Amino acid sequence: MTQAKPIWNPWPTAIIGWFIIFFSGIVVYTTWSIRQRVDLVGVDYYDQEMRFQHRLDSMNRTQRMAEAVRVEFVSSSREIVVGLPAEHAPLHPIGTIQLYRPSDARLDHRTPLALDARGQQSIDANGLAEGLWKVRVSWTAGTNDFFRDETIVLTPAKR
């Protein structure tokens, strides 16, 4: 009687192979996801939260004069125009204009408030990336603080 040759079973090798492929995929995906940038909040997020009530009071004061505060993007000249109420111009308001890019904190800009005689300020947008921006204007006129937060979309220049 001849001895029968054992038949090779591929299942153990296939199961081990699938575990190796699955584990390698998990390692690659985890490495890739750890290296992704996530800039959904500002760098000083916790400090901003502490100043939140003061910000709410400033926003409520500004809400009463909502029509007089203007933030707009003029696509023909590629500039952002910020206008404050006419009654604030003689008070020589001081403050800042922050251009906040929610998708990339590295693109944020902060500009001091420097109004012209009409109570407006223009900011050149040629160096800014196209897309969604938040324009945050905070100023002090007299003894009151004011704050306006507007969302604008920068579009390509018209030719």
Side-chain angles (χ1 to χ4, degrees), residues 21 26 33 53 55 64 85 104 107-108 110 116 135 149:
I21 291 171
I26 294 293
S33 59
Q53 184 60 46
R55 173 75 43 97
R64 293 184 213 127
D104 191 352
L107 299 177
D108 292 356
R110 189 176 295 264
D116 60 11
V135 180
D149 190 3

Side-chain angles (χ1 to χ4, degrees), residues 100-116:
Y100 171 70
R101 179 69 179 225
S103 62
D104 191 352
R106 296 173 294 177
L107 299 177
D108 292 356
H109 292 282
R110 189 176 295 264
T111 305
L113 190 65
L115 302 175
D116 60 11

Side-chain angles (χ1 to χ4, degrees), residues 35 101 106 131 133 138 151 158-159:
R35 293 182 181 184
R101 179 69 179 225
R106 296 173 294 177
W133 288 84
S138 59
T151 300
K158 299 195 184 210
R159 295 175 191 213

Side-chain angles (χ1 to χ4, degrees), residues 1 6 11 13 24 27-28 32 36 47 53 62 66 73 99 103-104 108 126-127 135 137 142 144 152:
M1 198 185 249
W11 282 105
T13 307
S24 299
V27 168
V28 168
W32 173 80
Q36 296 301 309
D47 291 335
Q53 184 60 46
T62 308
F73 173 64
L99 301 175
S103 62
D104 191 352
D108 292 356
N126 282 320
V135 180
V137 184
N144 293 322
I152 62 171

Side-chain angles (χ1 to χ4, degrees), residues 26-108:
I26 294 293
V27 168
V28 168
Y29 179 74
T30 304
T31 304
W32 173 80
S33 59
I34 287 173
R35 293 182 181 184
Q36 296 301 309
R37 287 187 51 82
V38 179
D39 293 325
L40 298 179
V41 295
V43 244
D44 60 344
Y45 174 76
Y46 294 106
D47 291 335
Q48 289 177 12
E49 285 297 317
M50 298 301 289
R51 297 186 304 261
F52 187 66
Q53 184 60 46
H54 179 70
R55 173 75 43 97
L56 281 177
D57 295 340
S58 300
M59 288 172 67
N60 289 335
R61 271 192 292 282
T62 308
Q63 188 65 33
R64 293 184 213 127
M65 60 180 87
E67 297 83 30
V69 180
R70 195 179 97 210
V71 176
E72 65 182 347
F73 173 64
V74 181
S75 60
S76 59
S77 58
R78 297 266 318 147
E79 63 184 7
I80 300 168
V81 178
V82 176
L84 297 186
E87 61 267 13
H88 287 196
L91 299 173
H92 304 292
I94 57 170
T96 60
I97 301 171
Q98 179 188 12
L99 301 175
Y100 171 70
R101 179 69 179 225
S103 62
D104 191 352
R106 296 173 294 177
L107 299 177
D108 292 356

